Structures are given as C-alpha cells and as structure tokens.
Amino acid sequence: QVRLVESGGESVQAGDSLTLSCAASGYTISNSCMAWFRQAPGREREGVASICADGIRTYYSNSVKGRFTISRDNAKNTLDLQMNSLKPEDTATYYCAASSRPWQLIGATIALSTFTYNAWGQGTQVTVSS
C-alpha cells in the first residue's frame, strides 16, 4: 500500500523560501513519476511540478516556473519541493502525488494532471503573508 506523507508547510512572509518534503512508503519513487499539487480554498487542485523516473523529465506550472524546484532522493525515497520568492498567491494546501503509470507514457500534456496520479498524501499547509 502506497503511503505519502508531506511535511514542511508553515506560515512565511512574501519573498521567503520554504522546502516541502514527501516521504514515500510502499512505493519506489524511482520507478515512475511523482508530483506536487496545491489547492487553495474554493479553487481546483492544480499541478505545480512533477519529476519522472529518468530524472530528466521535470515539468512546472507557469505560475511557479523559475521559483520552484522539484527533486527527489532515490536512496531516501523522498520527494522535495524547494520554493523560493514565495508570493501570497502561493498560499494553499500542498499535496504529494505518485503515479503507477509507466513513466515513459507520462509527457508534458499529462504530467501535471490530477488524473495521472493515483496515490495522494494528506497535504501540508503553506501560508504566505504580504
């Protein structure tokens, strides 16, 4: 059974940096694609960043490109999201997600889609104040 546990969310000021982590169990992160999503109150869950097994395929939403970096540690089976230059609009609950699809079949068009991922963490709250 796949279990994903996020950590690192907190309240920060605009311009600050924060790193979120996701610890995976029952799932080998090096086998497929994983991603970070976020959901603000009253809004749909949106894909933020994803990384696939080859370590080369990374995808970012336009809203975070250049500010956020997704990475993974295969030895520790963890997924991180480094967030820099945080803005109030980054305020949301952030979720870690894992896919069971073969990573070779996950390209740019679906890498940040909720339908690509079938395992989810419980979320960690990030609040950015201006």
Side-chain angles (χ1 to χ4, degrees), residues 7-21 64 66-69 80-88 90 94 125-129:
S7 62
E10 61 181 84
S11 296
V12 297
Q13 296 293 314
D16 284 353
S17 297
L18 196 61
T19 299
L20 305 182
S21 293
V64 306
R67 299 188 298 123
F68 290 12
T69 303
D80 287 348
L81 184 69
Q82 172 69 42
M83 305 185 293
N84 297 326
S85 302
L86 283 162
K87 305 175 182 179
D90 294 319
Y94 283 72
Q125 178 66 37
V126 173
T127 302
V128 184
S129 301

Side-chain angles (χ1 to χ4, degrees), residues 6-130:
E6 302 95 335
S7 62
E10 61 181 84
S11 296
V12 297
Q13 296 293 314
D16 284 353
S17 297
L18 196 61
T19 299
L20 305 182
S21 293
C22 173
S25 59
Y27 178 87
T28 303
I29 68 169
S30 60
N31 286 350
S32 188
C33 297
M34 295 191 72
W36 286 97
F37 285 76
R38 67 185 181 187
Q39 188 166 20
R43 303 192 66 175
E44 293 187 357
R45 189 169 297 190
E46 64 167 339
V48 173
S50 71
I51 186 168
C52 290
D54 60 0
I56 298 174
R57 300 187 193 194
T58 57
Y59 304 95
Y60 296 91
S61 67
N62 288 334
S63 60
V64 306
K65 196 174 295 183
R67 299 188 298 123
F68 290 12
T69 303
I70 189 170
S71 63
R72 66 167 193 258
D73 186 327
N74 292 342
K76 295 182 179 178
N77 220 36
T78 56
L79 180 76
D80 287 348
L81 184 69
Q82 172 69 42
M83 305 185 293
N84 297 326
S85 302
L86 283 162
K87 305 175 182 179
E89 50 263 44
D90 294 319
T91 296
T93 300
Y94 283 72
Y95 298 90
C96 174
S99 176
S100 60
R101 295 190 186 195
W103 64 269
Q104 297 91 336
L105 301 182
I106 301 176
T109 57
I110 63 171
L112 296 179
S113 169
T114 56
F115 298 105
T116 300
Y117 301 88
N118 54 303
W120 297 84
Q122 82 291 345
T124 186
Q125 178 66 37
V126 173
T127 302
V128 184
S129 301
S130 57

